[in-house]
Amino acid sequence: MIAEDFNREEVLRFLDRESAVARATQGRMAVLVLELRRVDRLQALLKGPPAAVTMTLVLERIRKVLRTDDRAASINDDEVCIVLPRLAHPTQAILAAVKVLRALDRPIAHEGGTAVLRPCIGIATVPEQGYDPAELLMAGDVARRIAATREEGYHVTQSEDTIESEVYRGMDLDLERAIRANELEVAYAPQVELSTGRPVAAEALVRWRHAQAGDLPADTIVGIAERTGLIGSLTVWALNAVLRHAATMKSAHGTPRFALNISTRILTDGELPTVVDQAMKTWGVDPGTITLEITESSMIGDAERSMAMLTRLKGIGVQLSIDDFGTGYSSLAYLKRFPLDELKIDRLFVAGLLTDNGDRQIVRSVINLAHNFDLRAVAEGVEAPSALEELRRLGCDVAQGFVVSPPLSEKAFRDWWARERPEG
Ligand code: C2E
Ligand code: CA
Ligand code: CA
């Protein structure tokens, strides 16, 4: 869903109008003040795109994750105002902030260079902060300054911490409890080998149905986990859930490979390799059948440290994949140095494969690049049979997406595997 384009004056007028509506109807709404905070140290090295270009690309990403009724516009060089009208519950303002922050996690790449952002968001809620547009903006701005000092990257203005403790800590406790009570689930996105059409693997994707907020998208769950320090528990939970499943599927009809997403934030945790190694032994799973997907952006921080971590993981015997390849900081140097097995072409490019010549060239180049480095090329988000055919023609090794199958429950994946691969 894509929210409309707005400029500064329009978003302020929109805020005026919606706060009047909220007053008249005793409704809820929120104003988010976001500061981009470009990372200077890296920027000197990377030479980012011009500020105006960065802002345009930032707004594009933000609008993609907002509801159609929400509005976002830049209010100066490095600040964005986001208005979320008609909220059912204040939690939604926080969920929106988490989604926006996550959408800006990846560096902003442009032909003018790459900008790395450490955005922070101040949240002012109606009716808690009143209805006056100027005061709401000011409250959001104060909260934004506090947010800049917080690990989670956002802050809700409050008289006495009431909103945050009730709403957000609530969410955080819910997730912690859900992990402990085994209430999360894993969905499996099937993958097929393009040359033969045979099933070969599945990517594990976390799912959570929240009692009040309903089905939460994986991005939101991971965002909450990352910003509350629960990402370690979530990763360990997912790892064990997948390995337990993998152990039961051994040799039933040939063994599928399973891919697991590893958050950038957990990649710096020195304990990760030990945890992975122990889990493999506990469940008796061959590490060679497990692929860890790591996003490109996780390599930019500290290449030496990433290298050491990937080498330790590789030592356990697992396969390593670069997820969302092409969207992040593109350095070919690490393809040579890092012990990788797979490149995963981002679904953004796959979506444009048949209609956009630029996307087609990117897909083709990534496939060739992968093969030149002896890596497997995997396309994700394949939706049309014609795209599947084209990927096969381009020599892509493996495909995943709705045309293969939507993500399946554990049982449904097991049935799919037995049906599609009866010969073992
Ligand atoms: P991703 O790694 O890029 O995962 C692929 C996403 O594409 C999934 O969304 C999947 O449902 C969706 N998808 C699959 N086929 C198609 C298709 O044909 N078309 C379209 N448009 N989309 C398709 P999902 O499950 O919402 O996951 C979103 C992101 O959340 C994932 O992106 C991944 O980065 C993250 N994530 C999911 N599970 C986990 C987890 O257990 N741990 C961590 N750290 N991250 C996770
Ligand atoms: Ca992935
Ligand atoms: Ca991806």
Side-chain angles (χ1 to χ4, degrees):
M1 227 173 283
I2 298 186
E4 253 173 70
D5 262 21
F6 255 42
N7 63 28
R8 181 175 198 278
E9 284 64 42
E10 285 166 331
V11 79
L12 297 179
R13 263 207 305 282
F14 181 72
L15 171 57
D16 266 355
R17 205 167 57 233
E18 286 300 327
S19 53
V21 171
R23 189 199 293 271
T25 59
Q26 299 190 318
R28 293 195 155 276
M29 65 177 283
V31 181
L32 275 51
V33 177
L34 176 145
E35 187 191 358
L36 303 190
R37 295 203 299 165
R38 292 166 66 128
V39 177
D40 292 333
R41 187 179 57 85
L42 277 170
Q43 218 189 304
L45 285 169
L46 299 177
K47 188 171 166 332
V53 173
T54 305
M55 181 56 89
T56 307
L57 297 173
V58 161
L59 285 171
E60 251 171 43
R61 283 202 198 164
I62 293 178
R63 285 172 182 145
K64 272 197 196 136
V65 300
L66 293 179
R67 303 170 306 172
T68 26
D69 289 345
D70 302 335
R71 294 291 177 269
S74 64
I75 44 176
N76 60 42
D77 272 2
D78 65 346
E79 278 189 337
V80 174
C81 172
I82 303 171
V83 181
L84 310 173
R86 296 157 219 238
L87 298 180
H89 196 268
T91 320
Q92 289 173 325
I94 290 161
L95 290 178
V98 169
K99 258 202 296 190
V100 167
L101 289 171
R102 195 158 161 83
L104 300 177
D105 260 358
R106 271 188 284 125
I108 310 272
H110 179 262
E111 45 193 36
T114 301
V116 178
L117 308 178
R118 289 283 169 272
C120 57
I121 298 182
I123 306 173
T125 54
V126 172
E128 289 77 7
Q129 304 302 318
Y131 298 93
D132 183 83
E135 277 176 24
L136 286 168
L137 275 174
M138 211 172 341
D141 203 50
V142 170
R144 195 249 320 142
R145 269 169 242 224
I146 299 173
T149 67
R150 297 283 167 89
E151 165 73 17
E152 59 270 23
Y154 65 84
H155 183 74
V156 185
T157 328
Q158 47 211 240
S159 341
E160 285 154 302
D161 270 358
T162 46
I163 303 170
E164 189 167 27
S165 53
E166 274 167 32
V167 177
Y168 186 65
R169 274 183 212 132
M171 210 66 183
D172 154 358
L173 289 179
D174 286 353
L175 180 57
E176 191 170 14
R177 189 188 44 72
I179 294 172
R180 254 189 294 115
N182 214 14
E183 279 170 18
L184 304 188
E185 276 170 34
V186 177
Y188 293 89
Q191 296 181 349
V192 294
E193 182 177 68
L194 278 164
S195 60
T196 59
R198 271 168 39 114
V200 285
E203 176 183 3
L205 299 160
V206 66
R207 296 286 179 263
W208 182 29
R209 173 160 299 169
H210 184 266
Q212 280 89 48
D215 279 330
L216 295 178
D219 276 335
T220 306
I221 304 169
V222 173
I224 293 173
E226 284 178 344
R227 288 168 209 287
T228 55
L230 288 171
I231 189 66
S233 317
L234 179 69
T235 307
V236 171
W237 178 84
L239 179 66
N240 280 286
V242 170
L243 294 182
R244 182 186 44 70
H245 182 205
T248 64
M249 284 196 73
K250 250 195 305 195
S251 79
H253 294 273
T255 308
R257 272 199 325 266
F258 287 99
L260 198 74
N261 292 285
I262 298 295
S263 155
T264 304
R265 304 218 176 174
I266 199 79
L267 201 64
T268 51
D269 186 332
E271 303 242 311
L272 182 67
T274 315
V275 169
V276 171
D277 190 31
Q278 273 169 2
M280 296 291 164
K281 290 179 178 137
T282 303
W283 294 104
V285 170
D286 170 7
T289 64
I290 301 296
T291 306
L292 303 183
E293 295 188 5
I294 293 148
T295 58
E296 220 183 337
S297 51
S298 48
M299 318 285 173
I300 59 166
D302 182 340
E304 287 314 312
R305 206 155 143 197
S306 306
M307 176 74 185
M309 176 57 94
L310 296 185
T311 306
R312 282 177 66 197
L313 288 169
K314 192 70 211 168
I316 296 166
V318 295
Q319 302 201 8
L320 298 175
S321 169
I322 302 284
D323 203 357
D324 301 340
F325 191 79
T327 60
Y329 169 67
S330 308
S331 160
L332 299 182
Y334 64 66
L335 286 185
K336 195 177 78 179
R337 294 185 54 215
F338 291 179
L340 303 171
D341 300 277
E342 175 185 292
L343 293 186
K344 208 156 176 191
I345 310 166
D346 195 70
R347 62 177 179 277
L348 213 68
F349 306 121
V350 175
L353 177 63
L354 299 171
T355 50
D356 182 307
N357 196 42
D359 285 348
R360 195 188 133 79
Q361 293 311 331
I362 291 176
V363 171
R364 184 218 289 276
S365 318
V366 176
I367 294 169
N368 292 337
L369 192 64
H371 291 164
N372 288 340
F373 283 95
D374 279 328
L375 307 176
R376 178 165 72 225
V378 179
E380 68 171 8
V382 190
E383 295 181 350
S386 47
L388 201 66
E389 197 37 56
E390 183 60 14
L391 286 162
R392 191 196 327 266
R393 258 203 303 275
L394 292 173
C396 186
D397 302 292
V398 172
Q400 160 187 342
F402 297 154
V403 68
V404 176
S405 162
L408 302 170
S409 70
E410 189 172 312
K411 161 134 193 354
F413 174 71
R414 199 184 287 276
D415 293 346
W416 177 86
W417 182 265
R419 193 172 62 242
E420 301 289 322
R421 192 167 159 154
E423 82 283 16

